[in-house]
Amino acid sequence: MKRPAKVEEVVGVACMVVLVLLTLGNVLTRYFTDASFAWTEEISIFLIVVMTLAGAASIAARDGHIRIEFLYDGGSARRRRMLRLVSAIATTLLFAVLAGLFGVTLADEIKWGETSMGLGVPRWWFTAPIPLFCAAIAWRAGVAGWHVWREPASPDPVVALDP
Amino acid sequence: MIGTLLFVVFIALMLAGAPIGVALGIGGIAAIAAANVDVPWWGLFAAPQNMHASIAKYPLLALPMFVLVGSIFDRSGVARRMVTFAEACVGRAPGTLPMVAILVAMVLGGISGSGPANAAAVGGVMIAAMAKAGYPAAFSASVVGAAAATDILIPPSIAFIVYSVNVPGASVPALFAAGMVPGILAGLALIVPAVLISRRHGFGESERSRARPPFWHSLGAASWGLAAPVLILGGMRVGWFTPTEAAVVAVAYGLFIGIAIHRSIGWRDLYPIFREATEVSAVIMLVLALAGIFAYAVNTLGIADPVVAAVKNLGLGSTGTLILLFVVMTVLGMVLDGVSIFLVFLPLLYPLMIAFAWDPVWFGVLLTMKIAIGQFTPPMAVNLMVACRLAQVRMEQTLPWIGWMIVSFVVATLLVLFIPELALWLPRRLGY
């Protein structure tokens, strides 16, 4: 299915690319020099978290997260529409709450000036994108739900792959 | 009371079709809030903390990297060359093509860590070849879907990485080594029914008249791909790289083969490859993150203890309890994917494992074999779904064939259950 690239999608893919390059750089520098590249570990962890949430937002936009599909896609059109609405509301609600909680965590970290264990930079640098992307997931799921609400005959969602 | 709330909310949301991660997260948050009504903010800051802590782990980096390896090797053109080489080895007769499909899936299992990627790579080549040789499409889809399930047993494996980051005392290298023998056993267990069914129905009779591919030439063409598992597994074994680094080296190697040697990957394919890997990883890791909230709620509210005590009091003993677990998880595996089930039950499985003093590595292998069976047991069978899509058959049409594969795979699992050494011998021998 052709779909326009979303900001979150591009951010997620960019994180993946940087993760590959950082780790590859680690292997190479370790073999060709004595220099340690280990300080990148904190950045890699940060990128894993951002990649997860950004990727999750782009999948939420097309309602592709894993669920019990045969219940979700079965039954009458009316029932399917109901389940899509419930699912969208639940997702939006959860990630709105999480965005709020992460937001407060972020505010506390800025207030107390905590620094990170590895690089010694302010902790909040790493936390800052988290509430943002949680809000993005809530937003994307909410918009998907809004489309279902507006037009009852929405197409079936794309089935996501998992391991 | 709060325990009931946790599970009622979780199950109700699951039945309403909410994404599994969302059901886990809301269930967990509701239980945390209900348990802390008199605490400021209802103790809810445990939710973001545990969610973050569940994925902010360096060893978890191996997961997206091995998903990416799967996406790359799926398109690198190695599967086709391996198939030709395998045909040169086993010859052409009824039942040899399914055998080739299973063997190639096993070798690819030594490169990629995810079942659906394996099913796509093997199915992309084998389903057309088997159709031309006169195998029914539904039978081919069954063989490919089942064969791809060996992928998560044969190292590297995404299921083992998820298990390792959640279970103390089971390192990724130990699990990888432990999966090797059971993975090969499972592959052999699939070859037996596939060959017997083909012979019995005379599938692939027309193959006899076709020439066997030349051995040395096809070995040469397949050598780039065949070197990949040696590089990945050997590199980890001799300590050149950690599992994560091995995955990244495999990414670079796979891109090199695909772009420069087999020329099956163009620069334009790179974005879709990375996007697919990012999204597949994000789906798994989001469940992992939100399962962290659920696990925290189950652990701190003391929900696990009475359940574990009740299971122990059934008096089934160690083996009986394992078989009970197996049956319960297989039934649930019909509606949910395996890694999610494992994450939901982890807070209960871990104390059970301690209570019965099960070896964490062996238990991990058993759980992974169970997940593997779920990957090709309809209706919720991710590998079979991919294979059916490639073969253009409906999943119901595979029912006459897939049952035999499932039975055979279950027998292999029972062997590992009754003879733990099958899993534990290799990691001990290698000193993990």
Side-chain angles (χ1 to χ4, degrees):
Chain A
M1 195 174 79
K2 183 101 174 104
R3 57 176 192 275
K6 296 198 157 54
V7 187
E8 296 97 317
E9 181 189 301
V10 177
V11 171
V13 172
C15 286
M16 180 68 110
V17 173
V18 177
L19 278 170
V20 170
L21 295 177
L22 270 182
T23 316
L24 199 60
N26 254 324
V27 183
L28 295 177
T29 44
R30 194 146 49 81
Y31 280 97
F32 295 110
T33 70
D34 288 335
S36 168
F37 220 48
W39 54 270
T40 58
E41 192 167 310
E42 210 162 57
I43 297 172
S44 296
I45 291 172
F46 164 76
L47 291 170
I48 294 173
V49 174
V50 174
M51 185 185 83
T52 304
L53 295 175
S58 106
I59 296 158
R62 63 194 151 89
D63 202 17
H65 282 286
I66 8 177
R67 52 163 56 93
I68 304 184
E69 258 126 24
F70 79 90
L71 285 179
Y72 197 61
D73 294 331
S76 62
R78 212 178 100 88
R79 193 184 94 178
R80 282 207 301 275
R81 180 165 182 264
M82 268 305 288
L83 293 186
R84 269 158 190 68
L85 287 174
V86 170
S87 172
I89 292 168
T91 310
T92 308
L93 199 70
L94 172 66
F95 281 95
V97 168
L98 285 171
L101 290 170
F102 274 115
V104 178
T105 309
L106 173 67
D108 280 350
E109 283 177 2
I110 296 175
K111 192 163 137 204
W112 303 115
E114 291 169 63
T115 52
S116 73
M117 305 260 269
L119 297 173
V121 297
R123 272 261 297 261
W124 68 268
W125 290 8
F126 294 134
T127 312
I130 300 177
L132 196 72
F133 282 106
C134 282
I137 298 174
W139 169 253
R140 294 294 185 191
V143 169
W146 175 248
H147 285 306
V148 174
W149 177 251
R150 289 299 298 277
E151 358 172 359
S154 78
D156 282 340
V158 176
V159 177
L161 291 173
D162 54 336
Chain B
M1 184 54 220
I2 293 170
T4 319
L5 173 80
L6 177 83
F7 283 99
V8 165
V9 170
F10 167 67
I11 293 168
L13 281 168
M14 285 301 309
L15 293 179
I20 171 149
V22 171
L24 285 166
I26 294 183
I29 285 183
I32 294 170
N36 296 295
V37 274
D38 37 8
V39 175
W41 292 91
W42 301 334
L44 281 184
F45 283 104
Q49 266 163 24
N50 282 284
M51 177 181 168
H52 183 258
S54 304
I55 49 169
K57 292 175 177 166
Y58 193 68
L60 190 61
L61 180 55
L63 190 150
M65 292 301 124
F66 275 118
V67 171
L68 180 60
V69 171
S71 297
I72 290 171
F73 274 88
D74 179 6
R75 295 171 178 81
S76 65
V78 298
R80 179 175 304 281
R81 290 162 179 86
M82 281 185 195
V83 164
T84 313
F85 175 61
E87 281 172 346
C89 291
V90 302
R92 295 188 193 275
T96 54
L97 273 182
M99 199 196 290
V100 164
I102 295 164
L103 290 173
V104 171
M106 287 165 70
V107 176
L108 276 177
I111 304 173
S112 114
S114 99
N118 190 317
V122 177
V125 183
M126 288 310 297
I127 282 173
M130 287 174 77
K132 215 155 70 182
Y135 290 86
F139 175 74
S140 313
S142 307
V143 169
V144 169
T150 59
D151 188 306
I152 59 166
L153 279 168
I154 295 175
S157 154
I158 282 165
F160 284 148
I161 296 167
V162 172
Y163 184 83
S164 175
V165 296
N166 279 292
V167 176
S171 74
V172 172
L175 284 163
F176 278 10
M180 198 60 162
V181 175
I184 293 170
L185 195 68
L188 296 177
L190 292 175
I191 289 178
V192 173
V195 171
L196 289 181
I197 291 173
S198 307
R199 290 230 174 122
R200 181 156 177 206
H201 295 271
F203 295 154
E205 201 55 62
S206 66
E207 281 283 287
R208 280 196 201 279
S209 52
R210 289 183 58 212
R212 207 162 159 157
F215 180 85
W216 293 109
H217 182 260
S218 51
L219 173 63
S223 59
W224 287 98
L226 291 173
V230 178
L231 177 76
I232 296 172
L233 302 179
M236 274 191 273
R237 171 68 199 108
V238 299
W240 285 347
F241 7 83
T242 63
T244 308
E245 292 171 347
V248 172
V249 171
V251 165
Y253 183 69
L255 286 176
F256 170 72
I257 300 179
I259 295 172
I261 307 288
H262 298 161
R263 295 177 188 265
S264 54
I265 298 177
W267 296 108
R268 275 175 196 204
D269 301 323
L270 288 180
Y271 186 79
I273 288 175
F274 274 79
R275 185 185 61 205
E276 179 191 291
T278 304
E279 292 190 338
V280 171
S281 311
V283 166
I284 306 168
M285 295 202 299
L286 189 74
V287 178
L288 201 59
L290 295 165
I293 302 177
F294 187 81
Y296 169 84
V298 172
N299 289 332
T300 53
L301 301 176
I303 296 164
D305 301 343
V307 177
V308 171
V311 173
K312 272 200 96 169
N313 288 337
L314 288 176
L316 294 171
S318 171
T319 310
T321 309
L322 270 176
I323 291 175
L324 174 74
L325 271 185
F326 206 77
V327 172
V328 170
M329 291 181 75
T330 305
V331 172
L332 291 166
M334 291 176 143
V335 291
L336 263 181
D337 87 295
V339 173
S340 306
I341 293 183
F342 159 67
L343 288 171
V344 172
F345 281 89
L346 186 71
L348 298 177
L349 292 174
Y350 187 68
L352 268 180
M353 185 178 93
I354 302 291
F356 283 102
W358 292 326
D359 184 287
V361 172
W362 172 63
F363 190 52
V365 171
L366 280 178
L367 281 177
T368 304
M369 292 190 90
K370 199 239 115 316
I371 293 173
I373 294 170
Q375 286 190 330
F376 65 98
T377 309
M380 182 69 199
V382 281
N383 294 352
L384 193 58
M385 217 183 285
V386 172
C388 285
R389 207 155 52 215
L390 289 169
Q392 296 182 326
V393 292
R394 279 174 295 116
M395 208 183 272
E396 301 92 273
Q397 293 172 274
T398 63
L399 289 177
W401 321 111
I402 201 75
W404 297 109
M405 313 270 169
I406 296 170
V407 168
S408 198
F409 208 113
V410 168
V411 170
T413 311
L414 289 176
L415 275 177
V416 178
L417 196 155
F418 285 110
I419 314 170
E421 277 301 289
L422 286 172
L424 296 177
W425 172 78
L426 190 61
R428 196 179 50 240
R429 192 68 212 275
L430 297 177
Y432 293 127

